[in-house]
Amino acid sequence: MPRSFTYSALVLRVRPSGESNREAWFLTAEEGILKATVFGGPKSRLRAYIAPYHQGTLWLYRDPVRDAGKVTDFDVQSWRPGIRERYERANTASSLIETMLASHAGGGSWTEAMRLAGQALDALDYADPAYCVRILVHFLWNWIDVLGLRQDILRCPACAGESGVLLFNSQEGTLRCPACAGTPAPLIPICLGARRWLTAAGDMNPALLNRYTLDGASLLQAKTLVTGLMSCILGKRLESWDSGG
Ligand SMILES: [Zn+2]
């Protein structure tokens, strides 16, 4: 029997549906990703409220068995208008959303998924365009943790030895010291600076990332590592990670 449900929700994506309705995808703290119909024409208040990156309290009228829902109200608490003001911010934000959708919102740790997504989008709302890549890398690294697949990257996972350089096998998603690597596959060197930054910045609020210095080469290596790991997890590489975000 249909009834009303309340969620703490983040709007991920909105698509037209029929003549005047829309389909919206939400990340919710209670049930992960939910899809629902937004009824109403261009002048509808809900239409303006339900837009990507908006976060707040969502009311859905739905049949729990058939899983079809319609939005009855949305109280926006975070609008994040700054994201749309800069190309780099919007690009990075849509990349985060695409990652969340591709990984089914983390598959269970939805409260943590909401916290990370909210923090990253809040940081992007004011971000210097030059820092958007760091916010993406930071988010992906933490998202790997939400998926339960983060590992210690300071030491070689095979022999636990310390090494200035670990070699990343992007086909297998493994890191090895030069002594353990021993494989003909193309290996990408990831220096200690990149791995230290990821380890130190991992638990920080992304709005404070500019407090940690990171040179351009290390940033590139950190990005290579996290996007490579995420590609192995998802079974595909998302184009948006590389589209200048
Ligand atoms: Zn080793």
Side-chain angles (χ1 to χ4, degrees), residues 75-223:
D75 178 25
V76 184
Q77 279 121 34
S78 297
W79 298 85
R80 306 180 173 119
I83 291 177
R84 289 180 190 80
E85 289 170 6
R86 300 299 290 259
Y87 168 80
E88 293 86 349
R89 294 175 185 163
N91 212 35
T92 306
S94 70
S95 187
L96 304 190
I97 299 279
E98 204 189 331
T99 306
M100 289 184 238
L101 286 166
S103 55
H104 309 286
S109 324
W110 295 313
T111 310
E112 179 63 4
M114 284 284 286
R115 189 183 71 81
L116 287 174
Q119 278 191 345
L121 292 171
D122 281 344
L124 283 174
D125 195 22
Y126 297 95
D128 181 325
Y131 275 94
C132 289
V133 180
R134 295 185 191 205
I135 293 171
L136 172 66
V137 170
H138 178 267
F139 175 81
L140 292 176
W141 180 236
N142 280 314
W143 201 252
I144 290 170
D145 196 29
V146 163
L147 296 169
L149 298 166
R150 190 147 98 183
Q151 50 187 318
D152 178 9
I153 54 172
L154 291 180
R155 293 161 179 272
C156 168
C159 69
E162 291 184 24
S163 177
V165 173
L166 290 182
L167 301 169
F168 179 55
N169 181 329
S170 62
Q171 283 162 19
E172 296 175 2
T174 53
L175 270 178
R176 294 286 181 268
C177 72
C180 293
T183 154
L187 300 171
I188 306 161
I190 311 290
C191 292
L192 190 56
R195 291 179 281 126
R196 275 203 180 127
W197 182 82
L198 284 171
T199 305
D203 297 324
M204 283 188 70
N205 185 316
L208 307 176
L209 283 179
N210 57 357
R211 294 188 186 176
Y212 273 75
T213 54
L214 180 70
D215 63 85
S218 298
L219 172 60
L220 200 59
Q221 290 179 4
K223 184 179 175 183

